[in-house]
Amino acid sequence: MFAGIDVGSRSIELVVVSDGEIIHAERTSTTFDPVAQCRRLFAAAPACPVAATGYGRELVAKHGFDREVTTITEIKAHALGAAHRFPEARGVLDIGGQDTKAIALLPGGRVAKFEMNDRCAAGTGKFLEFLANVFQIPVEAFGAYALSGKPGVEVSSMCTVFAETEATSLMAKGRDPRDIALGLHASVVRRTANMLRRVGVTGGDAPVVFSGGVAHNPCIVHLLGQALGQPLLVADDPDMTGALGAALWGARQE
């Protein structure tokens, strides 16, 4: 058995694999005490070595939690996790709480090229969560709400504050809030599709895995599929991809 833990800015995922199969998986919010949250996840999981990834991977390495700990970068972890679930994949898009990663894959989950936006929350889960609050809609329902809108509203700013200003200005002009929500989602898709193109993933004959929490958003999934000209590959639990990749990598090092 080998565990993988992905400590992100918004959530922490833990996966335990045995012979390449997931035997335990759990997710929790990061909160303001990620050490306590990691300890709680480990207490409920089988005792085994662990590979840590995510922005908090060094935190796991520092505390140890009575386990043998190694670390792996987020890029490698998501690439391995995505390729394990979808061997045909040639690209990965991970939109997490506060960063976005676009990865071009070689066979076997090897990384050919990648681009990562971790300096700004634009286009991330936090961006969508903030704007969902502007519409007074739970973020879990924001995608379905946006899908009910009609195209035609352009939102040019990807800065969270300026996007809010744009949205409220459009509302004041009488534009349908659902159309504005769709326009906001479209702005996220333009940004992320461009990231994929810059790393050489253009759709068509390059199947793309969508991982991370934002992959639960049906509007982003739909619009990205349109932008790339093909449906995206989305697992039932896309936010577990990084932890899965870390566990698989750790098991290979044994």
Side-chain angles (χ1 to χ4, degrees), residues 105-167:
L105 290 181
L106 296 170
R110 292 174 295 148
V111 177
K113 189 177 180 181
F114 74 90
E115 182 172 319
M116 183 173 180
N117 165 41
D118 59 356
R119 296 182 180 180
C120 174
T124 65
K126 186 63 178 176
F127 176 85
L128 290 169
E129 181 181 359
F130 180 86
L131 292 168
N133 288 334
V134 172
F135 286 78
Q136 298 182 343
I137 294 172
V139 67
E140 296 82 7
F142 196 33
Y145 179 78
L147 271 177
S148 67
K150 297 177 181 178
V153 173
E154 291 284 335
V155 177
S156 58
S157 178
M158 286 301 296
C159 169
T160 305
V161 175
F162 291 156
E164 177 194 11
T165 301
E166 247 187 287

Side-chain angles (χ1 to χ4, degrees), residues 41-89:
L41 288 175
F42 283 132
C48 58
V50 59
T53 191
Y55 95 101
R57 60 185 179 273
E58 297 301 335
L59 193 67
V60 179
K62 175 182 177 181
H63 288 271
F65 303 101
D66 298 321
R67 293 165 182 253
E68 178 187 337
V69 179
T70 54
T71 61
I72 176 176
T73 67
E74 297 168 70
I75 300 298
K76 287 183 179 179
H78 278 273
L80 288 170
H84 179 78
R85 284 176 157 169
F86 302 100
E88 71 274 27

